C-alpha cells in the first residue's frame, strides 16, 4: 500500500540559543510530527555550502525527512534566540540560503506526487523564493491537503501575500494574535467565530485551526463542525515548536484516517507535551 507523501516547502534554519543550537524552521518541525503516522515526508528548501548546511542534511536524515535542498552561495539560515522579559525573542537573520530556493525538476516532481503540502508566509519574504514556492504550490495538483500555517514573523508578511496563499490553501492554521493581524489586514468584522466561518466559506477551506496559546484550540471542519479542547494545567502559553507539533500531528492523523475530533485530541496532546517539557513538567 502506497504511503502518503507529505511535502514541506520553505525555510530551514538553525535556532542559535545562548548555550546550544538545534535544527529549526516550521516546515522541518511540522514534517517530523506528520511522519509519525506512516507518511513519507520531504523538505524543499535551500542551504549554504557551509558547516551548518551539512548539519541540516545530517539532522533531516536522522528524523527520516528526505532533504530536497539546493546549495546556494548564501549562508544556511539562522535564528538568534534571546531570553526576554516575558519569554524568548527570536531574531531571524536576513539574506539566508532559504531566501533563494530555486525551482528544480526534483522539487517539481516531488511536489506533483504529494498527497499533502505545507507552507507559511515567512519563506516568501523575498521575491526569489516567493516565485518558486507559489509555482510549486500550483503544480501540486494531486495534493488533497494544502496546509497554510500563517506563521507571521517580524515584518515578513503583507495583505497581498496572505491572500495569495489563502486562495491556494484548503487548511488554515493561526493563533489568536495572527487572527488579529488578519482581521486588520483584511478588514474583517464580527466575532472570532464569525471571522473564521467567513474565511472558511470564502476560501473553500476544509479546516480552520485556531490556537489560543496553551489555553484552548478550536477547529472548524466539514459542515462547519466545531471541535474545542481546553487546557487547564498548562501555565506556559508559548513554547518553541508547540504550534508545529500541533499542525504536523493533526495533518498526519487526518491523512491516517482519524476523525476531526480524534486528530484534534492527538494534535493537542503533542503540543501540550512540548509546553510541559519547556516547563520541566513530564
Amino acid at each position: 500500500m502506497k504511503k502518503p507523501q507529505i511535502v514541506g516547502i520553505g525555510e530551514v534554519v538553525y535556532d542559535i540559543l545562548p548555550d546550544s543550537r538545534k535544527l529549526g524552521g516550521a516546515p522541518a518541525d511540522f514534517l517530523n510530527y506528520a511522519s509519525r503516522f506512516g507518511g513519507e515526508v520531504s523538505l524543499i528548501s535551500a542551504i549554504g555550502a557551509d558547516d551548518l548546511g551539512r548539519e541540516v542534511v545530517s539532522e533531516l536524515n536522522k528524523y527520516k525527512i528526505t532533504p530536497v535542498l539546493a546549495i546556494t552561495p548564501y549562508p544556511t539560515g539562522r535564528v538568534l534566540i534571546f531570553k526576554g522579559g516575558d519569554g524568548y525573542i527570536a531574531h531571524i537573520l536576513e539574506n539566508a540560503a532559504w531566501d533563494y530556493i530555486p525551482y528544480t525538476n526534483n522539487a517539481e516532481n516531488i511536489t506533483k506526487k504529494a498527497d499533502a503540502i505545507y507552507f507559511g508566509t515567512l519563506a516568501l519574504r523575498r521575491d526569489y523564493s516567493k516565485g518558486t514556492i507559489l509555482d510549486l504550490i500550483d503544480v501540486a495538483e494531486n495534493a488533497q491537503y494544502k496546509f497554510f500555517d500563517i506563521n507571521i514573523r517580524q515584518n515578513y508578511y503583507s495583505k497581498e501575500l496572505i491572500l495569495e496563499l489563502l486562495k491556494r490553501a484548503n487548511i488554515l492554521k493561526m493563533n489568536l494574535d495572527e487572527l488579529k493581524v488578519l482581521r486588520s489586514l483584511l478588514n474583517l468584522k464580527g466575532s472570532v467565530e464569525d471571522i473564521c466561518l467567513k474565511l472558511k466559506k470564502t476560501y473553500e477551506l476544509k479546516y480552520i485551526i485556531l490556537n489560543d496559546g496553551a489555553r484552548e484550540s478550536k477547529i472548524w471542519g466539514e459542515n462547519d463542525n466545531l471541535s474545542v479542547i481546553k487546557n487547564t494545567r498548562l501555565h506556559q502559553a508559548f513554547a518553541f515548536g508547540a504550534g508545529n507539533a500541533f499542525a504536523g500531528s493533526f495533518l498526519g492523523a487526518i491523512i491516517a484516517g482519524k476523525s476531526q475530533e480524534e486528530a484534534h485530541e492527538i494534535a493537542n496532546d503533542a503540543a501540550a507535551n512540548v509546553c510541559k517539557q519547556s516547563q520541566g513538567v513530564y
Side-chain angles (χ1 to χ4, degrees):
M1 188 173 177
K2 178 180 173 289
K3 290 185 177 182
Q5 305 294 306
I6 305 172
V7 174
I9 311 171
E11 71 276 7
V12 64
V13 305
Y14 256 87
D15 291 331
I16 311 297
L17 292 93
D19 57 354
S20 63
R21 68 187 185 202
K22 67 181 185 67
L23 183 68
D29 209 11
F30 170 91
L31 292 171
N32 177 33
Y33 283 90
S35 68
R36 299 179 186 189
F37 298 85
E40 292 184 350
V41 299
S42 303
L43 174 64
I44 298 173
S45 190
I47 55 174
D50 49 29
D51 289 341
L52 275 186
R54 286 182 280 276
E55 284 188 39
V56 166
V57 175
S58 176
E59 287 293 292
L60 291 177
N61 286 328
K62 185 167 76 176
Y63 290 112
K64 295 183 171 56
I65 299 171
T66 300
V68 187
L69 305 175
I71 299 175
T72 74
Y74 301 91
T76 298
R78 291 180 296 153
V79 177
L80 307 182
I81 311 291
F82 304 97
K83 185 77 172 176
D86 296 324
Y88 289 92
I89 299 168
H91 178 64
I92 305 165
L93 297 187
E94 296 272 359
N95 222 32
W98 56 266
D99 286 314
Y100 302 94
I101 303 170
Y103 191 100
T104 64
N105 289 335
N106 193 18
E108 179 185 289
N109 291 336
I110 285 172
T111 307
K112 280 183 173 179
K113 296 174 185 175
D115 298 292
I117 58 171
Y118 170 92
F119 50 90
T121 49
L122 177 57
L124 288 80
R125 67 179 181 176
R126 283 188 177 267
D127 287 342
Y128 192 104
S129 285
K130 177 182 175 182
T132 297
I133 293 170
L134 292 179
D135 286 347
L136 286 172
I137 296 170
D138 288 344
V139 301
E141 297 172 354
N142 295 321
Q144 185 178 358
Y145 300 103
K146 297 180 180 181
F147 196 119
F148 175 24
D149 194 346
I150 197 166
N151 269 339
I152 288 175
R153 298 289 183 265
Q154 292 172 207
N155 62 337
Y156 303 131
Y157 64 92
S158 67
K159 174 182 176 180
E160 292 73 25
L161 175 59
I162 289 171
L163 289 174
E164 286 277 10
L165 295 174
L166 266 177
K167 68 186 183 183
R168 288 170 165 84
N170 57 25
I171 301 177
L172 171 64
K173 175 185 164 288
M174 55 189 167
N175 61 35
L176 208 54
D177 289 336
E178 290 161 344
L179 175 62
K180 290 174 184 176
V181 173
L182 212 56
R183 183 202 295 262
S184 175
L185 285 176
L186 304 183
N187 194 29
L188 299 168
K189 307 293 185 183
S191 67
V192 166
E193 182 163 0
D194 290 340
I195 290 171
C196 287
L197 290 175
K198 182 176 181 181
L199 287 169
K200 188 171 182 293
K201 181 179 180 181
T202 301
Y203 297 99
E204 300 179 348
L205 302 171
K206 293 182 176 181
Y207 298 100
I208 282 191
I209 300 167
L210 179 65
N211 289 323
D212 182 5
R215 290 175 288 279
E216 68 175 14
S217 55
K218 296 180 177 180
I219 300 178
W220 287 266
E222 187 177 352
N223 298 320
D224 298 336
N225 174 43
L226 173 62
S227 54
V228 181
I229 296 179
K230 294 184 180 293
N231 293 307
T232 57
R233 299 183 61 194
L234 294 174
H235 305 295
Q236 180 167 322
F238 174 82
F240 280 108
N244 301 328
F246 189 108
S249 298
F250 178 78
L251 183 65
I254 286 291
I255 291 177
K258 303 293 184 183
S259 69
Q260 174 183 323
E261 290 75 15
E262 290 170 327
H264 194 169
E265 289 279 0
I266 290 167
N268 187 74
D269 287 346
N273 284 335
V274 173
C275 292
K276 287 175 182 176
Q277 289 169 23
S278 296
Q279 294 169 187
V281 178
Y282 296 89

